[in-house]
Amino acid sequence: MTMTFDGMWSAIAPIGREASTGGYRRYAWTPQDAMMREWFAGEASRRGLDLVVDLAGNQWAWWGDPDAAVASGRPGLVIGSHLDSVPDGGAFDGPLGVVSALAVVDTLKAKDFLPSRPIAVVNFVDEEGARFGIACAGSRLITGKLDPDTARGLRDADGVTMAEAMGAAGHPVEHVGPDGETVARIGAFVELHVEQGRGLIELGRPVAVGSVIRPHGRWRIDLDGQANHAGTTRLKDRRDPMLDLASVIQAARAAASAQGCVATVGKVRVEPNGVNAIPSRVTAWLDARGPGEAEVRAVVESVGVRSGGLAVQESWTPETVFDVPLADRLSALLDNAPMLATAAGHDAGVLATAGVSAGMLFVRNPTGISHSPVEFAERQDCLSGIEALTAVTEELAR
Amino acid sequence: MTMTFDGMWSAIAPIGREASTGGYRRYAWTPQDAMMREWFAGEASRRGLDLVVDLAGNQWAWWGDPDAAVASGRPGLVIGSHLDSVPDGGAFDGPLGVVSALAVVDTLKAKDFLPSRPIAVVNFVDEEGARFGIACAGSRLITGKLDPDTARGLRDADGVTMAEAMGAAGHPVEHVGPDGETVARIGAFVELHVEQGRGLIELGRPVAVGSVIRPHGRWRIDLDGQANHAGTTRLKDRRDPMLDLASVIQAARAAASAQGCVATVGKVRVEPNGVNAIPSRVTAWLDARGPGEAEVRAVVESVGVRSGGLAVQESWTPETVFDVPLADRLSALLDNAPMLATAAGHDAGVLATAGVSAGMLFVRNPTGISHSPVEFAERQDCLSGIEALTAVTEELAR
């Protein structure tokens, strides 16, 4: 197992890595994404798995016949995660789950395990939404939670639509949309993921089981001003939206602190963004998450009121509770692994909301840092994660 | 005169105009800039003027022999301005001065005026510094105020160097640098420019004479943070440079107000600029100008101290007083036109600092707005400006 893990990890390490930052730029439907998908297809083929690409572009590598299992009333077990990244993301967020799932298949095949139901390794497309702004686009599309026409029309920073990007990557765009046949094949889904916080550091454990995904959303705040000369316009004659941006940033932090939430302004667009011009417009994106919907909504309202800007909701994910009997079973199986809530969205959460029995395993992150080039997990903890996922897979496909 | 003004104005109106904003994007050494330069060369040729391109790329259209005038001890009179723009700039900032100067030549030729010294119309290259960050690059280079190796190595947002951009535009980059021969030909320089403030509105006059350019500069402030996940990182574990940006913006405004200066954060760069990532770094550019150097330096120091960032000076222009006898003479000639100070930099200021007798005429701006698509001047005021520049040219070349 360790051999195949190390080999796979080395194979994908250079793909989409930006030399200047050390971070990854693997955005959906780009050449970098295509290289990751080709690598996945090759790994499936090498193991004799049947590769299926669904209507949204998610890749499924099946060990066994998924449709016979559906017909017999006991559909398959799916393990895996995603291979795309945020801008300058780390190596682990996503790929650790896919590589671990492939390593599980190797381990089970090596010990001549005979699954009682088909097993798939999945690579969900466009989990991060880094390019088109909607996270978990692949799982949302197949479960009908993202309208296909809306998706096709989403534009990246260069004005390229998702439809154009899919087309350029060779994916047939006309059939993108709900894919009931694919969803019906998922009897259960377990996603292994690097932890994106410090929970396991404090607990002193290598692996945890996911309990809930806290409610979270994204809002866009447009702040209008009046473009003018930076040198010759008196302060009293200015309508400078940069001052409103300062209010947004500070209001978000203050309201999050008051409500027990987290709030982040991580993306800003300034027009025209000239050193000697007062901006005509500043757009800020607010990411807010918290223990409950009321708290998160209070943060967003406070930011809008205090900045004078209008917060337009771009996405909203209510609290998602993972399948409780499944989570309990996983925890018991894994030496009473601790349960962890998370404020990060995942494809497992989208599937859970769609009625799929879904669960997650988290692998310890020794710094708590994620969405960063320095994101890390110790090799020994990664191997513990694969051991745990192997045990879970054996249990659920015995 | 009105015919040629209207015709020239229409001819350049579409060049480099961005349909989505209505503003101009005419940046140095781009295809849009090349179209403006070709247009200028054509206008020179049509009038029988001799076109000379100096070592930095500035265009000079001479009526008469500049070198004979230098030899005789009474070098030429230069009128004109620049044809490039800030991002989404207006139609008037720059082109009004060049078009007016060409219209002056038409008027003088139509009345068979015989100049006692050669007259040139100039188009200074890269006045705005929109692409490579250094304003008045053309006039600074020929007067030795910008080091040629520094200039050649400046990079635009895409990483293209000024040397590469000049080369791509067909300008020989190896000789870029101080051009004493060109500077020696300038006996006097008068630059007509749209006003970039509300002085003439309040005075109820169409034309003013420039008195001084107030001290001004640009600073870059790097704010470092720690990239991390926007959802899973506790507030207390964050190092979020966006909060420092808010401090920079507010400190700049407060200090400018206290010091009687203006200060602007018009340009911001966020890395990696992802909705769900705490930024690893935010860079802000500060433009500050005021009545004196002490006040401006106090603003910059206050911003640095209050934000925790280090302000790196990218450019600094001390107070520039235009040739006082020339300014008095222009004012007297123009029905005692009012004298106006400005906080905007101009090539006329760079030449004045280099010891050239230089002056400016300002044309009323009915909104005070500049560096914006809505920048405007009434046609009647533009014609008044041409009349004034004609009178000045006759006076100085009689």
Side-chain angles (χ1 to χ4, degrees):
Chain A
M1 172 186 85
T2 63
M3 290 293 290
T4 70
F5 173 77
D6 292 338
M8 288 189 279
W9 204 245
S10 306
I12 60 174
I15 301 175
R17 190 161 184 271
E18 168 63 29
S20 67
T21 62
Y24 287 93
R25 299 182 182 175
R26 297 164 173 164
Y27 311 143
W29 307 112
T30 60
Q32 291 74 28
D33 188 46
M35 289 172 76
M36 296 297 279
R37 293 167 65 85
E38 270 178 48
W39 170 82
F40 183 83
E43 294 299 305
S45 164
R46 177 185 311 192
R47 288 166 178 82
L49 309 177
D50 299 323
L51 188 73
V52 181
V53 179
D54 67 24
L55 297 184
N58 306 302
Q59 294 178 299
W60 308 79
W62 281 103
W63 175 10
D65 180 350
D67 295 320
V70 170
S72 75
R74 190 161 180 256
L77 168 66
V78 180
I79 54 180
S81 187
H82 64 93
L83 293 174
D84 67 323
S85 82
V86 295
D88 287 332
F92 297 82
D93 178 354
L96 182 63
V98 175
V99 167
S100 297
L102 290 166
V104 165
V105 170
D106 291 341
T107 305
L108 295 182
K109 290 208 163 191
K111 61 160 92 164
D112 295 325
F113 178 75
L114 282 180
S116 65
R117 65 205 291 194
I119 295 172
V121 178
V122 67
N123 167 33
F124 279 110
V125 71
D126 201 5
E127 197 266 353
E128 298 289 4
R131 182 169 179 193
F132 298 103
I134 303 280
C136 300
S139 57
R140 282 186 211 267
L141 276 168
I142 60 168
T143 56
K145 296 187 179 303
L146 171 59
D147 175 68
D149 286 330
T150 302
R152 278 188 282 258
L154 293 170
R155 288 180 189 276
D156 70 9
D158 295 326
V160 177
T161 64
M162 187 187 281
E164 291 163 349
M166 283 179 168
H171 186 73
V173 299
E174 65 275 20
H175 300 307
V176 167
D179 188 339
E181 196 179 341
T182 292
V183 176
R185 290 170 170 173
I186 316 170
F189 175 49
V190 180
E191 180 170 7
L192 179 146
H193 203 281
V194 66
E195 197 198 343
Q196 301 177 293
R198 305 175 57 83
L200 285 169
I201 302 173
E202 293 175 2
L203 293 163
R205 295 283 296 256
V207 174
V209 175
S211 56
V212 304
I213 296 179
R214 298 211 172 98
H216 58 275
R218 295 177 178 186
W219 291 264
R220 192 187 75 242
I221 304 175
D222 293 319
L223 305 164
D224 286 322
Q226 167 68 60
N228 212 330
H229 192 293
T232 58
T233 314
R234 294 174 299 191
L235 296 181
K236 66 171 183 163
D237 293 329
R238 295 179 177 219
R239 279 207 300 129
D240 184 348
M242 204 63 95
L243 291 163
D244 300 320
L245 174 66
S247 299
V248 164
I249 294 165
Q250 292 176 335
R253 169 59 66 101
S257 182
Q259 297 288 342
C261 297
V262 292
T264 310
V265 179
K267 180 176 177 180
V268 165
R269 184 172 62 208
V270 179
E271 299 165 62
N273 211 29
V275 179
N276 56 357
I278 298 164
S280 57
R281 173 180 272 212
V282 173
T283 305
W285 279 264
L286 173 69
D287 179 302
R289 320 191 189 205
E293 173 162 355
E295 291 87 348
V296 176
R297 300 256 177 223
V299 168
V300 176
E301 190 183 353
S302 171
V303 171
V305 168
R306 288 180 53 181
S307 69
L310 182 68
V312 178
Q313 183 172 302
E314 291 198 335
S315 75
W316 171 253
T317 305
E319 181 180 69
T320 306
V321 180
F322 290 116
D323 182 339
V324 175
L326 175 64
D328 288 344
R329 191 171 164 195
L330 300 187
S331 173
L333 183 71
L334 303 173
D335 196 18
N336 291 314
M339 298 280 195
L340 277 186
T342 178
H346 294 286
D347 293 309
V350 173
L351 293 184
T353 309
V356 172
S357 170
M360 291 194 75
L361 299 182
F362 294 120
V363 170
R364 175 163 51 192
N365 180 328
T367 63
I369 295 174
S370 185
H371 285 193
S372 161
V374 302
E375 176 191 76
F376 188 64
E378 296 288 353
R379 181 167 176 279
Q380 191 51 53
D381 286 349
C382 294
L383 299 181
S384 297
I386 295 171
E387 258 179 57
L389 188 61
T390 304
V392 164
T393 305
E394 281 188 291
E395 169 76 8
L396 297 178
R398 194 180 303 281
Chain B
M1 170 185 84
T2 62
M3 290 291 290
T4 68
F5 172 77
D6 292 339
M8 287 188 280
W9 204 247
S10 305
I12 61 173
I15 301 175
R17 191 164 183 271
E18 168 62 29
S20 66
T21 62
Y24 288 93
R25 299 182 183 176
R26 297 163 173 165
Y27 311 144
W29 307 113
T30 59
Q32 292 74 27
D33 187 47
M35 290 172 76
M36 295 298 278
R37 293 168 65 85
E38 269 178 48
W39 169 83
F40 182 84
E43 294 297 307
S45 164
R46 178 187 311 193
R47 287 166 179 81
L49 308 178
D50 298 322
L51 188 74
V52 180
V53 178
D54 67 25
L55 297 184
N58 306 301
Q59 294 178 299
W60 308 79
W62 281 103
W63 176 9
D65 180 350
D67 295 319
V70 170
S72 76
R74 190 161 180 257
L77 169 66
V78 179
I79 53 180
S81 188
H82 64 93
L83 293 173
D84 67 322
S85 81
V86 295
D88 287 332
F92 296 83
D93 177 354
L96 183 63
V98 176
V99 168
S100 296
L102 290 167
V104 165
V105 170
D106 292 341
T107 305
L108 295 182
K109 290 207 162 188
K111 59 159 91 166
D112 295 326
F113 177 75
L114 282 180
S116 64
R117 66 204 289 194
I119 295 172
V121 178
V122 67
N123 168 31
F124 279 108
V125 71
D126 201 6
E127 197 266 353
E128 299 288 4
R131 183 170 177 191
F132 297 104
I134 303 281
C136 301
S139 58
R140 283 187 211 266
L141 276 169
I142 59 167
T143 56
K145 295 186 180 304
L146 172 57
D147 175 68
D149 285 329
T150 303
R152 278 189 283 256
L154 293 170
R155 289 181 188 276
D156 69 10
D158 295 326
V160 178
T161 64
M162 187 186 280
E164 291 164 348
M166 282 180 168
H171 185 73
V173 298
E174 64 276 19
H175 300 307
V176 166
D179 188 339
E181 197 179 342
T182 292
V183 176
R185 289 170 170 173
I186 317 170
F189 175 49
V190 179
E191 179 170 8
L192 179 147
H193 203 280
V194 67
E195 197 198 341
Q196 300 176 293
R198 305 176 58 84
L200 285 169
I201 303 173
E202 292 175 1
L203 293 162
R205 295 282 295 259
V207 174
V209 174
S211 56
V212 304
I213 295 179
R214 297 210 171 100
H216 58 273
R218 295 177 178 185
W219 291 263
R220 193 189 74 241
I221 304 174
D222 293 318
L223 306 163
D224 286 323
Q226 169 67 59
N228 212 331
H229 192 292
T232 58
T233 315
R234 294 174 299 189
L235 296 181
K236 66 170 183 164
D237 294 328
R238 295 178 178 219
R239 278 206 302 131
D240 184 349
M242 204 63 95
L243 291 164
D244 300 320
L245 174 67
S247 299
V248 164
I249 294 165
Q250 293 176 336
R253 170 59 67 100
S257 182
Q259 298 286 343
C261 297
V262 293
T264 310
V265 178
K267 180 176 176 179
V268 166
R269 184 173 62 208
V270 179
E271 299 164 63
N273 211 29
V275 178
N276 57 357
I278 298 164
S280 58
R281 172 180 272 210
V282 173
T283 305
W285 279 264
L286 173 70
D287 179 301
R289 319 189 191 207
E293 174 162 353
E295 292 86 347
V296 176
R297 299 258 178 221
V299 168
V300 177
E301 190 183 354
S302 172
V303 171
V305 169
R306 288 181 52 182
S307 69
L310 182 68
V312 178
Q313 183 171 301
E314 291 199 335
S315 76
W316 171 252
T317 305
E319 180 179 69
T320 306
V321 181
F322 290 117
D323 182 341
V324 176
L326 175 64
D328 287 344
R329 193 171 164 196
L330 300 187
S331 172
L333 184 71
L334 303 174
D335 196 17
N336 292 313
M339 297 281 195
L340 277 185
T342 178
H346 295 286
D347 293 308
V350 173
L351 292 184
T353 309
V356 172
S357 170
M360 292 195 75
L361 299 181
F362 294 119
V363 171
R364 177 163 50 194
N365 180 327
T367 62
I369 294 173
S370 185
H371 286 193
S372 160
V374 302
E375 176 191 76
F376 187 65
E378 295 288 353
R379 179 167 177 280
Q380 191 52 54
D381 286 348
C382 294
L383 299 181
S384 297
I386 295 170
E387 259 178 58
L389 188 61
T390 304
V392 164
T393 305
E394 281 189 292
E395 170 76 8
L396 298 178
R398 194 179 304 280

